[in-house]
Amino acid sequence: MNLLDRFEQRIDQLVNGAFARAFRAEVQPVEIAAALEREIGDRAAVVSRERTVVPNVFVVELAPVDHERLGVYQSTLCGELADLVREYCTEQNYSLTGPVEVIFSLDEELDTGVFRVRSEARAGVVSVVEPMEQSPIQVGGTHTGGTHTSNAPPVQPRLVIAGKSYPLNIAVTRIGRGTDVDIRIDDPGVSRHHAEITMGADVTLRDLDSTNGTYLDGVAVRVTTLYDGAEVRLGTTVLEYRSG
């Protein structure tokens, strides 16, 4: 029994045959599974003799009727499809740059039974410090004897990567693909020791002789000063510096 057959059997067991009844003329889950396998093969990028990188984030665009019907089982289906991708990549010895994610999206222009798959290789980020929690900013404060006390949270310089904030709370933060850096980015375009950020009177970004270079707002840099909102690119990964 091949991987797609096993996937179809698992889905059927999970929903007690509901898919066989509900999806006769519309998109079948196994069709999406086969399309994901094709997308992986088409987008596979050979990085080295030992490493072939493939997408890890997939958006399945569905017509209104299919999106409504599949939406009932979305959590189950997306989880099973993600498992299928991981199993397939293991069988083919493919490398994933981050966690596998499968998302259903509505496309009003598609006809029933027609769907599209978009994908990307989104780097996984690992930091020696936990991502910052997003705290609400309290406006106002108290006045005591002419002294104003603010309720706002303390300012914390940070990097924002894929929507998560990583605090810059040490003197030198080293960034790269190696296992001994402070913020690890699993991106094939990032060197093991790619760049570092030094905290001081100025916040300095320094390229560490990386293979593909370090870019600030689209311009290659060796050493530069960061400012609030600066956009830094390492490989295909974008980092935004926020001063607090």
Side-chain angles (χ1 to χ4, degrees), residues 84 105 139 162 169 198 233 240-241:
L84 173 95
S105 174
V139 179
N169 52 11
T198 304
R233 180 168 60 82
E240 183 184 6
Y241 171 71

PDB file of all heavy atoms in Angstrom, residues 84 105 139 162 169 198 233 240-241:
ATOM      1  N   LEU A  84       1.216  13.670   6.049  1.00  0.00           N
ATOM      2  CA  LEU A  84       1.555  13.072   4.762  1.00  0.00           C
ATOM      3  C   LEU A  84       2.799  13.723   4.175  1.00  0.00           C
ATOM      4  O   LEU A  84       3.691  13.032   3.672  1.00  0.00           O
ATOM      5  CB  LEU A  84       0.387  13.222   3.798  1.00  0.00           C
ATOM      6  CG  LEU A  84       0.682  12.781   2.361  1.00  0.00           C
ATOM      7  CD1 LEU A  84       0.240  11.347   2.145  1.00  0.00           C
ATOM      8  CD2 LEU A  84      -0.001  13.678   1.347  1.00  0.00           C
ATOM      9  N   SER A 105      -7.728  27.877   1.796  1.00  0.00           N
ATOM     10  CA  SER A 105      -8.055  29.270   1.499  1.00  0.00           C
ATOM     11  C   SER A 105      -9.189  29.311   0.478  1.00  0.00           C
ATOM     12  O   SER A 105      -9.248  28.492  -0.439  1.00  0.00           O
ATOM     13  CB  SER A 105      -6.823  29.993   0.957  1.00  0.00           C
ATOM     14  OG  SER A 105      -7.129  31.297   0.529  1.00  0.00           O
ATOM     15  N   VAL A 139      -2.189  53.181  28.462  1.00  0.00           N
ATOM     16  CA  VAL A 139      -2.036  54.609  28.251  1.00  0.00           C
ATOM     17  C   VAL A 139      -2.381  55.333  29.539  1.00  0.00           C
ATOM     18  O   VAL A 139      -3.389  55.051  30.178  1.00  0.00           O
ATOM     19  CB  VAL A 139      -2.956  55.096  27.112  1.00  0.00           C
ATOM     20  CG1 VAL A 139      -2.800  56.593  26.912  1.00  0.00           C
ATOM     21  CG2 VAL A 139      -2.613  54.350  25.831  1.00  0.00           C
ATOM     22  N   ALA A 162       9.022  36.455  11.097  1.00  0.00           N
ATOM     23  CA  ALA A 162       7.806  35.676  10.830  1.00  0.00           C
ATOM     24  C   ALA A 162       6.732  35.951  11.880  1.00  0.00           C
ATOM     25  O   ALA A 162       6.049  35.034  12.352  1.00  0.00           O
ATOM     26  CB  ALA A 162       8.130  34.189  10.767  1.00  0.00           C
ATOM     27  N   ASN A 169      18.703  41.011  24.238  1.00  0.00           N
ATOM     28  CA  ASN A 169      19.014  41.336  25.622  1.00  0.00           C
ATOM     29  C   ASN A 169      20.419  40.910  26.051  1.00  0.00           C
ATOM     30  O   ASN A 169      20.706  40.797  27.239  1.00  0.00           O
ATOM     31  CB  ASN A 169      17.960  40.729  26.561  1.00  0.00           C
ATOM     32  CG  ASN A 169      17.755  39.244  26.321  1.00  0.00           C
ATOM     33  OD1 ASN A 169      18.533  38.615  25.611  1.00  0.00           O
ATOM     34  ND2 ASN A 169      16.712  38.689  26.896  1.00  0.00           N
ATOM     35  N   THR A 198      25.325  43.993  17.623  1.00  0.00           N
ATOM     36  CA  THR A 198      25.981  44.460  18.845  1.00  0.00           C
ATOM     37  C   THR A 198      25.190  45.617  19.435  1.00  0.00           C
ATOM     38  O   THR A 198      24.887  46.594  18.742  1.00  0.00           O
ATOM     39  CB  THR A 198      27.423  44.911  18.551  1.00  0.00           C
ATOM     40  OG1 THR A 198      28.137  43.829  17.936  1.00  0.00           O
ATOM     41  CG2 THR A 198      28.137  45.318  19.822  1.00  0.00           C
ATOM     42  N   ARG A 233      17.782  41.329   5.571  1.00  0.00           N
ATOM     43  CA  ARG A 233      17.531  40.053   4.894  1.00  0.00           C
ATOM     44  C   ARG A 233      18.768  39.183   4.930  1.00  0.00           C
ATOM     45  O   ARG A 233      19.856  39.594   4.534  1.00  0.00           O
ATOM     46  CB  ARG A 233      17.091  40.269   3.447  1.00  0.00           C
ATOM     47  CG  ARG A 233      16.812  38.952   2.707  1.00  0.00           C
ATOM     48  CD  ARG A 233      16.109  39.176   1.384  1.00  0.00           C
ATOM     49  NE  ARG A 233      16.889  39.994   0.477  1.00  0.00           N
ATOM     50  CZ  ARG A 233      17.870  39.526  -0.292  1.00  0.00           C
ATOM     51  NH1 ARG A 233      18.200  38.241  -0.246  1.00  0.00           N
ATOM     52  NH2 ARG A 233      18.513  40.335  -1.122  1.00  0.00           N
ATOM     53  N   GLU A 240      13.031  42.166  10.994  1.00  0.00           N
ATOM     54  CA  GLU A 240      12.778  43.597  11.206  1.00  0.00           C
ATOM     55  C   GLU A 240      13.292  43.995  12.574  1.00  0.00           C
ATOM     56  O   GLU A 240      12.968  43.368  13.589  1.00  0.00           O
ATOM     57  CB  GLU A 240      11.289  43.908  11.099  1.00  0.00           C
ATOM     58  CG  GLU A 240      10.978  45.393  11.244  1.00  0.00           C
ATOM     59  CD  GLU A 240       9.495  45.692  11.231  1.00  0.00           C
ATOM     60  OE1 GLU A 240       8.707  44.739  11.223  1.00  0.00           O
ATOM     61  OE2 GLU A 240       9.132  46.890  11.227  1.00  0.00           O
ATOM     62  N   TYR A 241      14.143  45.033  12.614  1.00  0.00           N
ATOM     63  CA  TYR A 241      14.656  45.517  13.885  1.00  0.00           C
ATOM     64  C   TYR A 241      13.703  46.550  14.457  1.00  0.00           C
ATOM     65  O   TYR A 241      13.312  47.498  13.786  1.00  0.00           O
ATOM     66  CB  TYR A 241      16.050  46.160  13.711  1.00  0.00           C
ATOM     67  CG  TYR A 241      16.515  46.870  14.968  1.00  0.00           C
ATOM     68  CD1 TYR A 241      16.889  46.152  16.098  1.00  0.00           C
ATOM     69  CD2 TYR A 241      16.529  48.276  15.019  1.00  0.00           C
ATOM     70  CE1 TYR A 241      17.270  46.804  17.265  1.00  0.00           C
ATOM     71  CE2 TYR A 241      16.916  48.913  16.184  1.00  0.00           C
ATOM     72  CZ  TYR A 241      17.288  48.180  17.299  1.00  0.00           C
ATOM     73  OH  TYR A 241      17.681  48.829  18.446  1.00  0.00           O
TER      74      TYR A 241
END
